[in-house]
Amino acid sequence: MSRQVEHMVHLVDDLLDLSRVNRGAIELRKAPMHVRDAISMAVETVKPLIEKRGHHLHLLFPSTPLTVNGDRTRLAQIFSNLLNNAAKYTEHGGDITLRVQEKEGSASISVTDTGIGIDPKDQPNVFEMFAQVDRKSDRGRGGMGIGLNIVQRLVEMHEGTVTVASEGLGKGSTFTVTLPLADN
C-alpha cells in the first residue's frame, strides 16, 4: 500500500509540474552554479531506489567544475528524473553512470544505464507527452509518459537540449543533457 501511495504522490507531482510548464507558470530562478551541486541533490533524492535495486552508481566529473546559469531545484529535478528512470528500467545489480564533461562550450551530462534499452523506432517519441514505448517486460515499472516530457521542457527553459541513444532492447540507454556554460 505504501508503494502505491508513493507512486500516486509522484504521479500527482508530475501532473502538477506538467500543468505549470504548459501554462508557463514555472519561473526559473537562474544563477551561476556548478552542475555538480544539482547532481548531488538529484543523487540524494534517488539514492534509496538505487540502493534498493542493488545498482552500482558511477559519478564521473571533470577536474574543473562546470558552471551553468541555472535553477538549482529544476536542474536537480531533471537529473533525478533521469536517474530514477535509469534505476526503474535497469535490472537488479546493474550499472548506472552519470558523466559530466565539457564539450564545445557546453556542459554535457549523460546518464547511461545497462537496462532494458529502447527500440530505435521508439526513440524519436520518448519525449512526447504521454509517450510510452512498447516494452513487454516492464508493465510493472512504467509511468504515464510525463516525466521525460517535463525533462525536455525544463532543459529547453535552460536553453539546452536533451537526447536519447540506445542500441536497442536489452542494450541499455543513454540520456544526454547539454547546457550552455555560464559566461565567466
Side-chain angles (χ1 to χ4, degrees), residues 41-159:
M41 289 173 60
V43 168
E44 186 176 319
T45 300
V46 182
K47 191 173 184 177
L49 176 61
I50 290 172
E51 289 175 350
K52 178 181 175 184
R53 303 215 11 111
H55 296 315
H56 307 283
L57 178 62
H58 310 278
L59 301 173
L60 306 172
F61 295 98
S63 57
T64 304
L66 300 182
T67 303
V68 298
N69 191 28
D71 181 312
R72 183 182 320 269
T73 302
R74 294 303 177 179
L75 288 177
Q77 180 180 4
I78 290 165
F79 302 130
S80 65
N81 187 302
L82 295 176
L83 287 167
N84 185 62
N85 281 356
K88 273 195 328 189
Y89 296 110
T90 299
E91 295 303 324
H92 185 84
D95 288 303
I96 300 170
T97 302
L98 187 148
R99 177 185 311 269
V100 179
Q101 303 174 80
E102 182 177 349
K103 287 189 176 178
E104 301 172 8
S106 296
S108 174
I109 305 96
S110 61
V111 176
T112 302
D113 63 59
T114 57
I116 64 173
I118 303 169
D119 192 307
K121 71 177 176 49
D122 292 326
Q123 292 175 33
N125 304 320
V126 297
F127 296 106
E128 291 179 10
M129 195 175 337
F130 304 117
Q132 293 179 317
V133 297
D134 184 26
R135 296 181 184 149
K136 310 291 190 255
S137 64
D138 77 343
R139 293 291 174 224
R141 295 184 257 194
M144 288 191 58
I146 297 171
L148 289 176
N149 182 263
I150 292 171
V151 164
Q152 182 182 47
R153 309 277 292 277
L154 290 174
V155 168
E156 288 171 351
M157 291 173 72
H158 282 87
E159 300 170 27

